[in-house]
C-alpha cells in the first residue's frame, strides 16, 4: 500500500522491560559485514502478512549471523478500522525520514530498508535475501560494542564504544519484543491471527557529539506490562541514513532484575 508522506506527531511507544546490570559486553566485531533490516509493516495492511512471515523465516534460519531484524509497526493504517497495538507515530516518522534520506516521493507498507541505504518491497524474498547477503559479504572495519551499566526498571544505562568517528552520527537504540501474536478483529485482515517477530516497542536516538565511547540513558516506559527481550543498537549517519555498525544484547526477566538491582 502507498500513501503520501505526512509527518505524524512523534508519540512514545509504550513498553514494559527489565534489564540486569551484569549482562556481558557484546563481543568485539570482526571485519565481516552485517545487515540491519528494518521492516515497516502494519496489522491493518492486507499486503503486509507475507513480509512479516518472511522476516520470521529469516530470523529462524540466520540466528547465528550478524543480521539485526527490526519490525516497525506504523500507525497510519490504524484509522481504517483496526488499531495495531504495536504501532506508533514515532515509527511512521522514522519511515518518512527514510523517504527524505532515499529521495522517495511516497512511503508504503510493507517496506524494507537494509543498512539505511537501500529500500524495496518488504515481501520480495529474492531482493531481500540478496541485499542481506551482499551486506554480509562486504567487509566492515567499523565496530560497535555495547554493555549495560547500572540499570533499574525505568532507566537503562547503555555503555558504548566504537572505533569510528561519530561526528554527524547518532546512536540508535531499539528495545525489541522477539515474539508476540494478535487476532485482528476489524479492517482488511479481519478474522486473521498473526504471529510477529522482532517487534520494536521503543526507539530512541542519541547525539554522540564526536565521542567514541561513553554512556546514554534510555528512559524506559513499562506501563503496558510487557517485557522486551532484546536490545539492538547501531550507528547511523544523520545526513545520509547509512548505518555503519551494529550490535545487540539479550535481556533477562523482571524477577532477575528485582533480585540483582538494589
Amino acid at each position: 500500500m502507498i500513501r503520501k508522506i505526512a509527518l505524524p506527531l512523534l508519540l512514545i511507544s509504550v513498553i514494559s522491560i527489565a534489564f540486569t546490570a551484569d549482562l556481558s559486553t557484546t563481543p568485539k566485531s570482526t571485519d565481516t559485514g552485517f545487515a540491519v533490516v528494518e521492516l515497516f509493516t502494519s496489522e491493518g495492511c492486507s499486503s503486509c502478512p507475507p513480509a512479516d512471515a518472511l522476516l520470521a523465516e529469516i530470523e529462524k534460519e540466520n540466528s547465528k549471523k550478524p543480521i539485526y531484524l527490526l519490525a516497525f509497526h506504523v500507525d497510519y493504517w490504524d484509522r481504517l478500522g483496526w488499531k495495531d497495538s504495536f504501532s506508533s507515530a514515532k515509527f511512521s516518522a522514522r519511515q518518512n525520514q527514510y523517504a527524505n534520506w532515499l529521495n522517495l516521493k511516497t512511503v508504503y507498507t510493507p517496506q524494507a530498508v537494509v543498512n539505511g541505504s537501500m529500500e524495496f518491497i518488504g515481501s520480495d524474498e529474492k531482493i531481500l535475501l540478496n541485499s542481506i547477503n551482499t551486506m554480509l559479504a562486504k567487509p566492515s572495519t567499523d565496530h560497535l560494542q555495547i554493555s549495560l551499566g547500572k540499570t533499574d526498571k525505568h532507566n537503562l544505562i547503555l555503555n558504548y564504544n566504537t572505533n569510528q568517528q561519530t561526528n554527524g552520527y547518532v546512536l540508535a537504540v531499539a528495545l525489541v519484543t522477539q515474539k508476540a501474536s494478535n487476532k485482528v478483529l476489524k479492517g482488511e485482515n479481519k478474522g486473521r491471527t498473526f504471529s510477529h517477530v522482532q517487534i520494536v516497542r521503543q526507539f530512541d536516538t542519541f547525539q554522540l557529539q564526536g565521542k567514541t565511547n561513553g554512556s546514554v540513558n534510555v528512559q524506559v516506559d513499562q506501563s503496558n506490562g510487557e517485557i522486551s527481550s532484546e536490545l539492538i543498537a547501531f550507528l547511523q549517519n544523520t545526513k545520509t541514513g547509512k548505518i555503519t555498525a551494529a550490535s545487540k544484547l539479550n535481556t533477562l526477566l523482571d524477577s532477575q532484575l528485582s533480585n540483582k538491582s538494589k
Side-chain angles (χ1 to χ4, degrees):
M1 292 186 175
I2 297 176
R3 68 186 291 272
K4 293 183 179 180
I5 299 172
L7 288 176
L9 296 176
L10 298 184
L11 303 177
I12 303 300
S13 59
V14 179
I15 178 173
S16 169
I17 187 167
F19 294 91
T20 64
D22 63 347
L23 290 173
S24 60
T25 303
T26 53
K28 189 173 183 179
S29 304
T30 63
D31 289 343
T32 57
F34 68 94
V36 175
V37 179
E38 299 174 69
L39 175 66
F40 295 95
T41 184
S42 172
E43 289 182 340
C45 160
S46 61
S47 56
C48 286
D52 296 330
L54 177 57
L55 199 72
E57 181 181 347
I58 292 172
E59 179 201 38
K60 181 179 180 180
E61 296 180 356
N62 297 275
S63 60
K64 296 183 179 180
K65 296 181 181 179
I67 301 174
Y68 307 92
L69 304 176
L70 297 166
F72 288 94
H73 287 237
V74 298
D75 74 332
Y76 47 79
W77 298 122
D78 289 357
R79 65 182 181 273
L80 299 183
W82 174 252
K83 178 175 172 53
D84 188 334
S85 61
F86 303 121
S87 67
S88 170
K90 190 173 184 178
F91 303 157
S92 300
R94 177 159 179 80
Q95 188 182 27
N96 279 307
Q97 178 63 69
Y98 270 123
N100 292 331
W101 277 328
L102 300 175
N103 296 314
L104 305 176
K105 293 182 179 180
T106 61
V107 294
Y108 59 92
T109 55
Q111 181 184 33
V113 180
V114 178
N115 283 8
S117 58
M118 59 178 70
E119 67 84 27
F120 40 84
I121 297 172
S123 56
D124 193 320
E125 181 176 5
K126 182 177 180 180
I127 294 180
L128 180 54
L129 293 180
N130 285 343
S131 299
I132 290 173
N133 289 332
T134 296
M135 292 301 180
L136 293 179
K138 184 180 298 186
S140 174
T141 58
D142 294 326
H143 304 151
L144 174 66
Q145 289 180 278
I146 56 175
S147 64
L148 292 182
K150 186 176 181 180
T151 299
D152 59 36
K153 294 181 180 180
H154 303 287
N155 294 280
L156 186 162
I157 306 301
L158 184 67
N159 305 316
Y160 69 90
N161 182 65
T162 180
N163 66 331
Q164 73 164 75
Q165 67 88 17
T166 62
N167 286 315
Y169 283 81
V170 293
L171 177 68
V173 180
L175 305 183
V176 176
T177 296
Q178 289 179 300
K179 296 184 185 298
S181 61
N182 256 347
K183 183 175 182 178
V184 178
L185 302 179
K186 298 179 181 180
E188 294 185 351
N189 293 314
K190 181 180 179 180
R192 303 181 67 177
T193 298
F194 296 127
S195 296
H196 304 296
V197 299
Q198 297 301 110
I199 310 154
V200 179
R201 304 311 309 272
Q202 182 170 328
F203 185 78
D204 298 286
T205 59
F206 301 88
Q207 297 285 343
L208 300 183
Q209 299 178 335
K211 296 180 180 179
T212 57
N213 63 83
S215 300
V216 297
N217 181 17
V218 181
Q219 295 182 343
V220 180
D221 186 344
Q222 55 170 354
S223 59
N224 69 356
E226 295 186 8
I227 298 176
S228 289
S229 50
E230 188 172 271
L231 181 152
I232 294 177
F234 52 88
L235 296 172
Q236 186 164 37
N237 188 293
T238 57
K239 290 185 178 180
T240 66
K242 182 179 179 180
I243 296 170
T244 53
S247 191
K248 70 178 179 180
L249 290 173
N250 291 323
T251 64
L252 300 180
L253 298 180
D254 183 61
S255 60
Q256 295 170 295
L257 175 65
S258 299
N259 291 335
K260 296 183 180 181
S261 295
K262 297 181 179 179

